[in-house]
Amino acid sequence: MFGKSKTVADQLVEVLVQAGVERIYGIVGDSLNALSDAIRRNDAIEWVHVHNEESAAFMAAAEAQVTGRLAVCAGSCGPGNTHLIQGVFDAHRSAAPVLAIASHIVSTEIGTGFFQETDPKRLFEQASHWTELVSSPEQMPRMARIGIQQAVGLRGAAVLVLPGDVLEADATNDTGTGSPVAGPVLGTPPDDVIAELAERINAAGTVAIFGGIGAAGARAELLELAELVGAPIGHSLRGKEALQYDNPYDVGMSGLLGYGACYQATHEADLLLLLGTDFPYRQFLPQKNTVQIDLDPSRLGRRTALDLGVAGDVGATLRALIPRLERKDHKFLHKMLGKHVDELERVVGAYTEKVEDLVPIHPEYVASILDEEAAEDAVFTADTGMCTSWAARYITPNGRRRVLGSFVHGTMANALPHALGAAKVDPSRQVISMSGDGGLAMLLGELLTAKLHNLPVKVVVFNNSSLGMVRLEMLVAGDPPYETDHDHVDFAAIARAAGLHAVRVEKPTDVRGALRDVLDHDGPALLDVVTDPDALEIPPHITKEEAAGFALAAGRSVMSGGVGQMLHLARTNLRNIPR
């Protein structure tokens, strides 16, 4: 038992420090006063002030994704919680281990309609694996440790709801010493399942692989499998950074942001293997002749009909599987690699031909120059919308770079706070926010956060004065763009007023020099690039209805865009094919 000196908030901070947490992102508020004071008195942890609780959760999510470890954010009662939930939802759907501390009104007023009252437990339930209310000091520190284990063990968000009076109450239990938290079990399927999987692959004439982020830890096994059975490898957006680089079997990406021959390979193969992916777009999957391997059994078969669903870690499954497989020839693989080169050749001219004469600047060109100038271990964050498309098509992975975004939840405004979180973890590492003007405007105050903490993020604004992805969606639907375009804004001037180094570019000949200036600046900096709102990306496979929609709505050329250094990779793969 402790005396009056140790509070529940002190105890919570001790548990977090034991779990390896070094900081909490948030905005201080009266219901969090006991927690912020406990942090003030503990040198092992810091409070990172932000300008919107939504950003606090984004920053925690980025930290968790970059490090693979638990990260923590906090929101005060009522509006603080409702701001926080957007970022918590994104962290949860990105499988980032984040603990959100949601403070609550004083416990004696719960249920009375008190000032700023919400029901945090109901509010956060859909945005987390676990949300629980601590109603008395006797529940601590056990509840804190349960929440941490839920976030780390299930890979996602957990929410600990604490009324302000409980936080400031005296602790009644010893804190003790917590053991390190454990992640998911990386299991191998039963032997009979491995045998059936091998039988199906051996019986198929041709095989294609489509991998996601769940296969990131099994890159070596996946490449060995592809070589053995002559399988082209496509990947999802989240799987790109782990599976594309130095991959002689790569045929690109499928989906709305896709490129290359991935769609053809997955549809023409006799058997498609989905490895560690919960790829959501059913229309890009063949809906037949498919086997899926995933660590989470609940994901099996929810996107496509399956011939076989295998619950298990991708790496462990492939290691058990490969010795049972028969070698296949590489004719199908070579055919798909050839198609991949053809597809990339077809669109690469969109940003290489007379690019220095194109005004407004084409965003594809900006992204391609950024790819060339960025550090080999840079962290890129991309706003949802066209910036995600440019990142998907032009940023070249190499095994050291990271690309973060709201790739599942799909919220706007994520890029800047994600970048801030990544920079806070390691200020020496180059972190680049690929921000859309619409997304940046939503959380513009976080430029002040960059300045406040002197976080050396580099913000590249693709400033087309338009909601580009929404514009594209309207065109696909056959509707003329409506309320997607807005007044021109000088974001460089705004950034300079906030104390950041900033440069504005309107001519393509100035892009490389301005970008180098911003990247080399010692501190937070922003590059405002005025880009063409009509440079829109379209997927590699569209339906007749979608094509008709473009014709009806646009009456203009909608550019497909190039794919940068991926063309070089595809050409290299093609040269390696025996003639």
Side-chain angles (χ1 to χ4, degrees):
M1 301 286 289
F2 294 108
K4 296 291 185 181
S5 60
K6 178 169 288 191
T7 66
V8 169
D10 290 319
Q11 194 168 61
L12 173 58
V13 169
E14 289 178 353
V15 171
L16 294 176
V17 171
Q18 289 176 5
V21 175
E22 298 178 2
R23 61 192 63 86
I24 298 178
Y25 302 94
I27 300 177
V28 296
D30 57 353
S31 57
L32 283 171
N33 284 350
L35 178 61
S36 56
D37 188 59
I39 294 170
R40 178 184 64 81
R41 291 182 281 103
N42 192 317
D43 293 336
I45 194 168
E46 66 173 321
W47 183 273
V48 181
H49 175 73
V50 301
H51 288 78
N52 188 305
E53 289 90 350
E54 177 180 350
S55 297
F58 281 133
M59 291 173 73
E63 176 179 329
Q65 290 177 84
V66 169
T67 65
R69 302 191 301 268
L70 178 73
V72 181
C73 58
S76 57
C77 65
N81 284 188
T82 55
H83 282 298
L84 188 69
I85 191 172
Q86 169 74 327
V88 172
F89 223 132
D90 179 73
H92 183 56
R93 300 203 69 194
S94 298
V98 168
L99 178 68
I101 300 169
S103 67
H104 201 358
I105 63 171
V106 62
S107 55
T108 55
E109 298 294 341
I110 294 174
T112 69
F114 193 69
F115 177 65
Q116 292 190 326
E117 182 175 7
T118 60
D119 186 343
K121 193 170 187 308
R122 292 177 62 193
L123 185 68
F124 285 98
E125 279 181 343
Q126 191 180 354
S128 66
H129 288 300
W130 179 92
T131 298
E132 289 298 338
L133 169 69
V134 177
S135 55
S136 73
E138 287 77 14
Q139 294 174 270
M140 292 288 285
R142 188 163 69 104
M143 291 294 284
R145 291 199 172 104
I146 292 172
I148 290 170
Q149 185 57 55
Q150 292 287 323
V152 174
L154 296 177
R155 309 302 289 180
V159 182
L160 194 63
V161 181
L162 287 143
D165 58 313
V166 174
L167 276 170
E168 64 186 22
D170 291 341
T172 61
N173 299 316
D174 288 329
T175 303
T177 301
S179 61
V181 293
V185 176
L186 305 180
T188 305
D191 187 72
D192 61 325
V193 174
I194 295 294
E196 182 178 356
L197 178 58
E199 182 180 346
R200 289 182 179 276
I201 294 175
N202 288 333
T206 57
V207 177
I209 296 169
F210 186 70
I213 193 170
R219 172 183 163 82
E221 292 87 348
L222 191 143
L223 294 179
E224 183 180 357
L225 172 65
E227 196 282 328
L228 181 60
V229 300
I233 299 175
H235 54 80
S236 67
L237 175 57
R238 298 182 75 199
K240 173 186 169 76
E241 65 180 5
L243 302 182
Q244 181 199 300
Y245 73 94
D246 294 337
N247 180 350
Y249 317 103
D250 179 61
V251 291
M253 191 169 83
S254 195
L256 298 173
L257 309 181
Y259 55 83
C262 180
Y263 181 91
Q264 291 173 288
T266 56
H267 282 71
E268 293 183 19
D270 294 332
L271 183 66
L272 171 62
L273 302 179
L274 299 178
L275 304 182
T277 179
D278 192 32
F279 180 73
Y281 300 104
R282 297 180 66 251
Q283 66 270 34
F284 290 94
L285 296 173
Q287 299 299 318
K288 61 180 181 179
N289 304 330
T290 301
V291 169
Q292 183 178 4
I293 304 172
D294 202 286
L295 187 63
D296 184 351
S298 70
R299 294 176 180 154
L300 298 175
R302 71 179 182 180
R303 309 300 184 191
T304 180
L306 296 179
D307 293 348
L308 179 65
V310 178
D313 173 66
V314 174
T317 302
L318 295 187
R319 286 190 293 273
L321 170 70
I322 286 172
R324 306 189 186 204
L325 296 180
E326 301 167 0
R327 178 170 294 276
K328 299 182 188 296
D329 65 48
H330 284 199
K331 292 180 181 178
F332 178 68
L333 171 62
H334 297 166
K335 174 184 174 183
M336 289 300 120
L337 291 175
K339 286 183 178 293
H340 186 51
V341 170
D342 291 343
E343 285 297 310
L344 300 188
E345 292 276 12
R346 183 175 59 83
V347 299
V348 73
Y351 78 91
T352 57
E353 187 176 340
K354 299 180 180 179
V355 68
E356 294 188 356
D357 299 325
L358 297 177
V359 177
I361 301 168
H362 276 223
E364 309 97 310
Y365 175 65
V366 179
S368 68
I369 298 299
L370 176 60
D371 180 51
E372 294 172 6
E373 295 292 334
E376 290 298 298
D377 66 343
V379 177
F380 299 85
T381 64
D383 263 335
T384 295
M386 300 308 298
C387 284
T388 295
S389 178
W390 309 140
R393 290 187 167 214
Y394 300 102
I395 300 305
T396 305
N398 58 10
R400 298 170 63 200
R401 285 176 167 180
R402 295 297 308 274
V403 181
L404 306 180
S406 184
F407 299 145
V408 182
H409 189 47
T411 181
M412 291 178 65
N414 62 283
L416 176 55
H418 272 162
L420 294 173
K424 184 63 180 175
V425 172
D426 184 1
S428 67
R429 188 175 185 181
Q430 188 180 81
V431 180
I432 301 167
S433 171
M434 298 175 67
S435 295
D437 53 338
L440 180 62
M442 277 188 171
L443 288 174
L444 194 58
E446 299 312 323
L447 291 176
L448 302 176
T449 302
K451 176 61 177 175
L452 173 66
H453 300 293
N454 195 32
L455 296 174
V457 296
K458 314 305 179 188
V459 183
V460 179
V461 187
F462 290 74
N463 188 357
N464 63 0
S465 301
S466 177
L467 300 176
M469 185 60 76
V470 180
R471 196 178 217 260
L472 175 62
E473 291 165 348
M474 289 181 177
L475 290 170
V476 169
D479 300 324
Y482 179 69
E483 290 296 322
T484 57
D485 302 341
H486 43 264
D487 289 343
H488 298 287
V489 176
D490 188 338
F491 285 99
I494 293 173
R496 282 192 289 268
L500 278 70
H501 174 62
V503 179
R504 183 174 169 91
V505 174
E506 298 182 7
K507 297 179 180 179
T509 51
D510 297 333
V511 169
R512 191 182 296 273
L515 182 58
R516 194 68 263 160
D517 174 47
V518 166
L519 293 177
D520 290 341
H521 179 74
D522 184 15
L526 180 144
L527 177 63
D528 183 9
V529 187
V530 180
T531 59
D532 187 354
D534 291 329
L536 302 176
E537 174 271 340
I538 59 174
H541 178 83
I542 61 174
T543 65
K544 292 180 180 179
E545 292 78 12
E546 289 168 338
F550 276 111
L552 287 171
R556 67 183 77 168
S557 173
V558 180
M559 299 184 65
S560 178
V563 286
Q565 292 186 21
M566 288 175 286
L567 177 59
H568 174 72
L569 176 63
R571 284 172 170 163
T572 300
N573 293 341
L574 191 60
R575 284 198 298 269
N576 289 335
I577 297 173
R579 300 296 183 182

